[in-house]
């Protein structure tokens, strides 16, 4: 990121804290999962920060679960390849996005209180 955009990295403990760092002016951009950032940018409280840089051309990440038992591993792979498994992944991802948005909201509300 530093080479591509000329910035220097600042590490935050969580995506929510990085987003609050953006609001506080501690940084000029947040680097995180594109799915998360796209959905956060659509929220009304983030309209001011909704400019997304072009995504990097990295290899797509894949979530993989490894079981110690061969039969269990086969069932896991069958489920994750199924429509139900794909729907579950979408639901889990949405839950994660909602959680980050809520944490950022709580942090912002706490920072604004006097």
């Amino acid at each position: 990121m530093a080479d591509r955009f000329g910035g220097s990295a600042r590490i935050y403990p969580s995506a929510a804290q990085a987003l609050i760092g953006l609001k506080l002016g501690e940084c000029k951009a947040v680097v995180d999962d594109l799915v998360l950032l796209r959905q956060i940018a659509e929220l009304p409280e983030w309209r001011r920060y909704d400019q997304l840089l072009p995504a990097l051309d990295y290899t797509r990440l894949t979530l993989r679960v490894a079981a110690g038992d061969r039969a269990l591993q086969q069932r896991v792979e069958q489920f994750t390849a199924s429509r139900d498994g794909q729907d579950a992944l979408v639901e889990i991802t949405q839950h994660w996005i909602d959680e980050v948005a809520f944490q950022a909201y709580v942090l912002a509300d706490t920072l604004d209180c006097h």
Side-chain angles (χ1 to χ4, degrees):
M1 294 305 299
D3 291 341
R4 184 170 178 184
F5 297 108
S8 59
R10 179 175 182 167
I11 307 298
Y12 286 87
S14 70
Q17 289 170 315
L19 290 166
I20 294 305
L22 179 67
K23 277 191 169 185
L24 293 175
E26 295 173 354
C27 56
K28 294 183 181 182
V30 172
V31 177
D32 209 302
D33 181 80
L34 185 58
V35 174
L36 168 73
L37 294 177
R38 278 186 180 153
Q39 291 197 30
I40 292 288
E42 292 175 4
L43 297 173
E45 61 269 29
W46 291 96
R47 276 194 199 121
R48 190 171 162 201
Y49 309 93
D50 67 354
Q51 299 299 310
L52 299 176
L53 296 170
L56 299 175
D57 295 327
Y58 287 117
T59 304
R60 194 177 179 126
L61 296 176
T62 302
L63 177 62
R64 178 153 166 71
V65 177
D69 177 85
R70 186 180 298 243
L72 178 57
Q73 181 67 39
Q74 186 176 20
R75 289 196 336 242
V76 167
E77 290 172 4
Q78 287 173 343
F79 177 72
T80 57
S82 72
R83 182 68 182 155
D84 286 344
Q86 294 299 309
D87 290 346
L89 180 57
V90 168
E91 185 178 328
I92 290 166
T93 301
Q94 187 59 53
H95 175 77
W96 170 66
I97 291 166
D98 294 343
E99 183 64 25
V100 170
F102 177 72
Q103 289 175 14
Y105 169 78
V106 169
L107 284 170
D109 188 44
T110 303
L111 293 171
D112 290 341
C113 291
H114 300 297

